[in-house]
Amino acid sequence: MLRSLLVVGMIAGMLFAIMSQSNIISVHAQGKIIINGAGATFPFPLIDTWRVDYQKVKPEVDINYQSIGSGGGVKQFTEKTVDIGASDAPLTPQEAGKVPGVVHIPETIGSVVAAYNIPSIPGKGLKLTGEVLADIFLGKITKWNDPKIQSLNQDKTLPADDIVVVHRSDGSGTTYVWTDYLSNISSAWHDQVGKGKSVAWPVGIGAPGNEGVSNAIKGTPNTIGYIELTYALTTNTPFAYIKNQAGNFIEPSLASTEAAVATKETSLPKGDPSWANVTMLNAPGNNSYAIASFTYLLLNKDLAKNPNMNEAKAKALVDFISWAITEGQKTAKSLNYVALPDNVVKADQETLKSLTFNGKPLL
């Protein structure tokens, strides 16, 4: 009898061990790799679409992305509190010095527009130049019917209302692109304000994120501000046609942004050299839109330098980015971003091949 009980107990113990092992395997099989990123609001609609689409490709990988502005993304990346940062502005030498071996991965191309809310002119197509925009944001042009604006728009009757300038209140890559453009066009802007993710604005009211600026423009009459094209289109906010280097007033669009990209230098940094001097602003060409820009993902060249990373997570992150710069580009056009040209994809792929974990290649 005792022997029978012992046998039954042994069998039960074996079954329990098998079941426990099965549960452990099941838990591991159900385990998720979570990749955390933060930064630019400029590419958020695209990254958020990728987040959903990639679940169908790799259900075991979750992508979390916080749209907090490029300044916040750079800060969190340099402080190693996220796995990946995102910025519309390439890192400055000072910023790059805090994260030796940082690499830039351009993930898409977009354009920044001068969006406005003039109740008596509800449609898009107000014509503006870079010099006029600089004077508006410097506070030198204060009325919508100023002769400098009216002379560009003789087919429109502009109101005598005060111009309300809206700008970003947070550290912003969109601000960097905007102020870099104004610095290129206007010596007064270059000397008095300059370029950066955050600047000392001479006039205007601040709002956080592309979303915040877009909402402020929509909600306040006689405003003008700068937002990424996709935010203007999705919120049906009118925007200006900007005079380009060839002297033509160009509507911001996928086609005019693509035209700007096509005229720029095809040689791009690979690996961890600086991207600080890479620009598509004020590109030559009859049909080029003047304010086009890359937006970047930021990574460590050796991902083991990030304390949040293990080899499996590093491999999953590189696999995701490899997918984003190839298959993920198919969704760019529907969201009003320009898909990466072949030469940019090749540069990205070469950079991804240089990434390691404790010296071990990840691709």
Side-chain angles (χ1 to χ4, degrees):
M1 180 69 174
L2 180 60
R3 185 174 180 179
S4 297
L5 289 172
L6 287 172
V7 171
V8 170
M10 289 174 62
I11 293 172
M14 290 171 65
L15 288 171
F16 178 79
I18 292 169
M19 290 173 66
S20 297
Q21 183 66 25
S22 176
N23 285 338
I24 291 169
I25 292 170
S26 176
V27 167
H28 281 293
Q30 294 172 10
K32 289 274 190 180
I33 294 176
I34 299 174
I35 295 170
N36 294 310
T41 64
F42 184 113
F44 173 70
L46 181 59
I47 294 174
D48 197 49
T49 300
W50 285 343
R51 176 186 63 80
V52 175
D53 289 349
Y54 199 62
Q55 279 280 288
K56 302 167 189 172
V57 180
K58 293 284 182 71
E60 70 277 14
V61 178
D62 280 347
I63 310 295
N64 291 332
Y65 182 76
Q66 298 299 314
S67 175
I68 61 173
S70 296
V74 170
K75 184 175 187 291
Q76 290 203 18
F77 173 70
T78 56
E79 292 177 352
K80 300 180 180 178
T81 57
V82 292
D83 305 313
I84 186 169
S87 175
D88 307 328
L91 295 191
T92 65
Q94 293 78 14
E95 289 169 336
K98 297 177 182 178
V99 275
V102 62
V103 301
H104 292 69
I105 305 285
E107 87 260 35
T108 191
I109 300 162
S111 51
V112 180
V113 307
Y116 56 85
N117 176 0
I118 306 172
S120 61
I121 304 176
K124 65 183 178 181
L126 187 73
K127 293 178 181 177
L128 296 172
T129 66
E131 292 85 355
V132 166
L133 284 167
D135 282 351
I136 290 171
F137 277 74
L138 283 168
K140 293 181 178 180
I141 294 177
T142 61
K143 301 284 186 181
W144 278 114
N145 67 346
D146 185 284
K148 289 184 178 180
I149 303 176
Q150 189 66 74
S151 65
L152 300 173
N153 298 276
Q154 295 182 19
D155 60 329
K156 295 178 174 62
T157 301
L158 293 164
D161 297 308
D162 290 337
I163 298 172
V164 180
V165 170
V166 184
H167 56 72
R168 289 284 287 273
S169 60
D170 53 335
S172 158
T174 309
T175 295
Y176 176 89
V177 174
W178 183 254
T179 57
D180 193 10
Y181 169 69
L182 295 183
S183 292
N184 278 316
I185 294 294
S186 165
S187 58
W189 185 273
H190 178 275
D191 295 341
Q192 295 177 42
V193 183
K195 66 180 181 180
K197 290 188 287 292
S198 296
V199 297
W201 295 101
V203 294
I205 58 175
N210 270 284
E211 306 95 326
V213 173
S214 179
N215 289 336
I217 293 168
K218 291 284 286 184
T220 309
N222 298 309
T223 43
I224 186 169
Y226 57 92
I227 55 177
E228 204 277 327
L229 175 62
T230 193
Y231 287 89
L233 293 174
T234 55
T235 58
N236 197 31
T237 305
F239 48 79
Y241 294 8
I242 307 296
K243 189 176 182 179
N244 69 3
Q245 188 182 127
N248 300 321
F249 288 92
I250 300 298
E251 177 181 358
S253 66
L254 285 178
S256 61
T257 305
E258 286 173 342
V261 175
T263 64
K264 280 300 184 178
E265 181 62 48
T266 57
S267 178
L268 295 170
K270 303 171 184 68
D272 57 353
S274 173
W275 282 72
N277 295 320
V278 175
T279 180
M280 287 184 286
L281 295 171
N282 207 30
N286 288 335
N287 301 312
S288 297
Y289 181 64
I291 321 176
S293 176
F294 286 122
T295 182
Y296 305 92
L297 299 176
L298 305 173
L299 299 168
N300 297 102
K301 190 169 185 179
D302 192 308
L303 289 163
K305 291 183 178 179
N306 188 322
N308 306 308
M309 201 69 63
N310 57 40
E311 188 172 350
K313 188 174 183 179
K315 179 69 167 60
L317 175 53
V318 172
D319 285 346
F320 164 68
I321 295 175
S322 181
W323 174 88
I325 63 171
T326 52
E327 288 299 307
Q329 295 298 304
K330 293 176 181 177
T331 59
K333 186 174 182 179
S334 65
L335 296 169
N336 301 299
Y337 297 93
V338 173
L340 295 175
D342 289 344
N343 68 302
V344 182
V345 174
K346 288 176 183 176
D348 279 351
Q349 288 173 326
E350 289 191 38
T351 297
L352 289 178
K353 288 176 183 176
S354 74
L355 300 185
T356 59
F357 188 85
N358 283 329
K360 179 181 176 181
L362 291 164
L363 281 182

